């Protein structure tokens, strides 16, 4: 899980090394290539390594299709947000995912939320509000505001994904769902490119190589690692370790691309991360639920 979260964190710095023209005018193409290469990676694993072909994709059922659709939203929303706002802003919005999942589980599954989680929700809300209000001298506007709004679709889709799977109590192989998500995201980007006249492709060979790195090693491989880790770690442990992406992502973008986080982003982010870490650590100290119990 440590490796998975570290690999996820390289998205921002790699994206910033794409050609300036592609970053400014090719956000749909960037998202297409990343999703395409992720789907290609998973297909290669299923066919060449596991020697199952694509049969598992056809056997995922309704829950797997919902999971794949939510993966597609996450893949698309994340990359589109990165092309509109900073790496730090994108990752900090994504960091509220565990708390959104707890709220949705309460509404849909009637899962009780402990007091520590309510406190964490309140603290995280304060942190995000501070980041929004103080950034660049006021509320974020223009592309930054749009990018952060798009980024919010990612933790929402993640919450819907987890709650849906728990509601139907289906044991779904997440590897085929990752493939479905990549394929759906790539197809959606092609439709958007056709609708906006963004074809033909503009990415140079160097851009495609960088996007292949993202698809293979920042998306496909770490998602598979998370599937393996989930067999041995509890949900709070995975959520806590996944926050490494939020910590390392802005650091790589700062060191590798000169993208210095704003002071308001660092302050608000510290509040958000502190709330999340305190919530997850408290959860780890609590008695673990019985097997099959709702979390």
């Amino acid at each position: 899980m440590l490796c998975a979260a570290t690999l996820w964190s390289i998205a921002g710095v790699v994206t910033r090394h794409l050609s300036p023209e592609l970053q400014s005018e090719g956000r749909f193409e960037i998202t297409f290539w990343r999703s395409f290469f992720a789907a290609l990676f998973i297909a290669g694993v299923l066919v060449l390594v596991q020697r199952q072909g694509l049969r598992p994709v056809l056997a995922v059922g309704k829950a797997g299709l919902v999971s794949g659709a939510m993966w597609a939203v996450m893949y698309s929303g994340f990359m589109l947000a990165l092309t509109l706002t900073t790496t730090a802003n994108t990752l900090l919005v994504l960091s509220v995912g565990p708390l959104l999942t707890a709220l949705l589980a309460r509404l849909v599954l009637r899962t009780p939320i402990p007091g520590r989680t309510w406190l964490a929700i309140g603290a995280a809300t304060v942190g995000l509000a501070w980041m929004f209000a103080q950034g660049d001298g006021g509320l974020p506007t223009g592309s930054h505001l749009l990018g952060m709004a798009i980024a919010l679709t990612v933790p929402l889709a993640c919450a819907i994904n987890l709650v849906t799977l728990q509601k139907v109590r289906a044991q779904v192989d997440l590897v085929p769902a990752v493939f479905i998500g990549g394929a759906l995201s790539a197809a959606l980007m092609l439709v958007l490119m056709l609708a906006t006249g963004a074809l033909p492709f503009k990415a140079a060979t160097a851009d495609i190589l960088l996007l292949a790195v993202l698809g293979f090693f920042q998306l496909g491989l770490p998602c598979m690692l998370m599937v393996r880790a989930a067999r041995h770690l509890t949900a709070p442990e995975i959520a806590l370790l996944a926050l490494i992406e939020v910590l390392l992502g802005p650091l790589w973008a700062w060191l590798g691309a000169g993208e210095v986080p704003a002071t308001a982003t660092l302050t608000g982010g510290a509040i958000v991360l502190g709330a999340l870490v305190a919530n997850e650590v408290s959860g780890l100290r609590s008695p673990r639920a019985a097997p099959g119990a709702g979390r």
Side-chain angles (χ1 to χ4, degrees), residues 1-9 91-92 94-98 158 162 222 226 229 233-250 273 276-277 280:
M1 192 58 211
L2 289 171
C3 292
T6 301
L7 289 171
W8 283 331
S9 70
L91 291 175
L92 286 171
L94 265 58
S95 70
V96 302
C158 181
L162 294 174
M226 189 192 73
L233 300 175
T234 66
E237 288 169 333
I238 290 178
L240 178 60
L241 293 173
L243 294 179
I244 294 172
E245 177 191 8
V246 182
L247 293 172
L248 293 181
L273 289 176
L276 292 171
V277 170
E280 299 300 339

Side-chain angles (χ1 to χ4, degrees), residues 34 62 72 74-75 98 102 119 153 180 195 237 253 277:
R34 175 176 175 264
K62 292 181 179 179
M74 293 157 65
Y75 300 160
L119 290 174
T153 65
I180 293 172
E237 288 169 333
V277 170

Side-chain angles (χ1 to χ4, degrees), residues 29-275:
E29 183 175 349
I30 291 173
T31 307
F32 165 81
W33 284 117
R34 175 176 175 264
S35 299
F36 169 80
F37 283 119
L40 183 64
F41 179 87
I42 299 300
V45 170
L46 292 174
V47 173
L48 301 177
V49 179
Q50 298 183 4
R51 299 189 182 278
Q52 300 182 60
L54 297 180
R55 291 189 304 273
V57 177
L58 302 176
V60 294
K62 292 181 179 179
L65 292 176
V66 171
S67 176
M70 293 301 102
W71 279 116
V73 172
M74 293 157 65
Y75 300 160
S76 302
F78 180 75
M79 287 308 294
L80 291 176
L82 274 182
T83 63
L84 291 167
T85 188
T86 65
T87 302
N89 283 351
T90 300
L91 291 175
L92 286 171
V93 173
L94 265 58
S95 70
V96 302
L99 301 181
L100 289 178
T101 301
L103 286 173
L104 190 61
R106 174 61 177 167
L107 293 173
V108 177
L109 304 176
R110 304 301 180 188
T111 303
I113 301 177
R116 60 179 173 80
T117 301
W118 284 118
L119 290 174
I121 291 172
T125 301
V126 170
L128 289 172
W130 176 266
M131 182 176 65
F132 288 175
Q134 301 298 321
D136 297 324
L139 291 173
T141 59
S143 65
H144 285 285
L145 181 60
L146 178 60
M148 297 175 81
I150 292 175
L152 188 58
T153 65
V154 178
L156 286 172
C158 181
I160 293 171
N161 189 7
L162 294 174
V163 171
T164 299
L165 295 179
Q166 188 176 28
K167 183 177 178 63
V168 298
R169 301 203 180 275
Q171 298 298 322
V172 178
D173 184 358
L174 293 182
V175 173
V178 172
F179 170 82
I180 293 172
L184 288 177
S185 176
L188 175 61
M189 292 304 108
L190 276 180
V191 171
L192 291 174
M193 291 176 70
L194 285 171
T196 58
L199 290 174
F201 293 117
K202 299 181 178 64
T205 301
D207 293 324
I208 294 178
L209 290 176
L210 288 174
L211 291 167
V213 169
L214 286 179
F216 288 176
F217 302 111
Q218 189 271 329
L219 190 59
L221 176 59
C223 287
M224 293 187 61
L225 292 176
M226 189 192 73
V227 173
R228 301 298 185 187
R231 298 178 181 177
H232 307 285
L233 300 175
T234 66
E237 288 169 333
I238 290 178
L240 178 60
L241 293 173
L243 294 179
I244 294 172
E245 177 191 8
V246 182
L247 293 172
L248 293 181
L251 176 62
W252 303 146
W254 184 9
L255 297 177
E259 188 176 286
V260 181
T263 302
T265 298
L266 294 175
T267 304
I271 297 173
V272 173
L273 289 176

